[in-house]
Structures are given as C-alpha cells and as structure tokens.
Amino acid sequence: FNTRVCVLYFAKSAELSGVREELLQVDTPINSQDLWTRLLGQHPRLLRVLQGHVVLAVRHQYVAIDDQEALTLRDGDEVAVVPPLSGG
C-alpha cells in the first residue's frame, strides 16, 4: 500500500535537510533501514553527519535504523528523525 506520512526533522537533521517537516509517500510495510534510505535519497547531506547516530520515532516509539522488522505506516503518521542530543 502507498501511504503518506509526515516526516519531522529535529536539531541537526533539520539543519542538514533544510526543512523541519515534509510529506513523503512510502510503500508500507517498510523496514526502518529502507525508510532511512528513502530519506537519504531526499536529503543526502544527512548521511555524512548522522549515519549510525540517528534513530527514527514512529508514533512516538523509537525505532533503530537497522531494525529489520516491518513497520506498518498509516496515512498521516508522523516519522521523526531524531539525531543524537548533545550534552552540556
């Protein structure tokens, strides 16, 4: 199924992508690695800084990028790109 989700970018991911949110059409079910690859296709600058240091949040649940479990996304779901928080 083709589903439209709202991708939210925070902190460094917003800076690198140049947007705070965008709508994205995805086929579902999709695993987090394929979803991340899709986001990198939209915003290749994310790869250089965030690869290996970012998690996704789907419906307020954290999902590791390398999780192979299929995500069943629904129209209107929010997918957050959460970079590491800097301490201080």
Side-chain angles (χ1 to χ4, degrees):
F1 294 100
N2 199 276
T3 302
R4 187 163 63 175
V5 297
C6 181
V7 181
L8 306 174
Y9 297 90
F10 294 98
K12 192 69 172 176
S13 66
E15 180 183 319
L16 292 169
S17 68
V19 296
R20 293 209 175 272
E21 68 179 63
E22 66 183 343
L23 294 176
L24 184 68
Q25 293 281 136
V26 296
D27 289 327
T28 189
I30 187 171
N31 67 41
S32 58
Q33 180 65 53
D34 291 342
L35 182 55
W36 176 241
T37 299
R38 186 72 196 283
L39 295 173
L40 290 176
Q42 298 277 114
H43 306 287
R45 292 181 63 204
L46 294 174
L47 176 67
R48 188 180 60 213
V49 176
L50 298 180
Q51 183 71 30
H53 303 286
V54 70
V55 294
L56 301 177
V58 178
R59 293 188 294 275
H60 305 285
Q61 297 289 316
Y62 289 114
V63 179
I65 295 294
D66 58 357
D67 190 345
Q68 292 302 308
E69 186 174 329
L71 301 169
T72 302
L73 300 172
R74 299 184 294 256
D75 274 334
D77 274 352
E78 290 182 342
V79 176
V81 178
V82 184
L85 300 175
S86 56

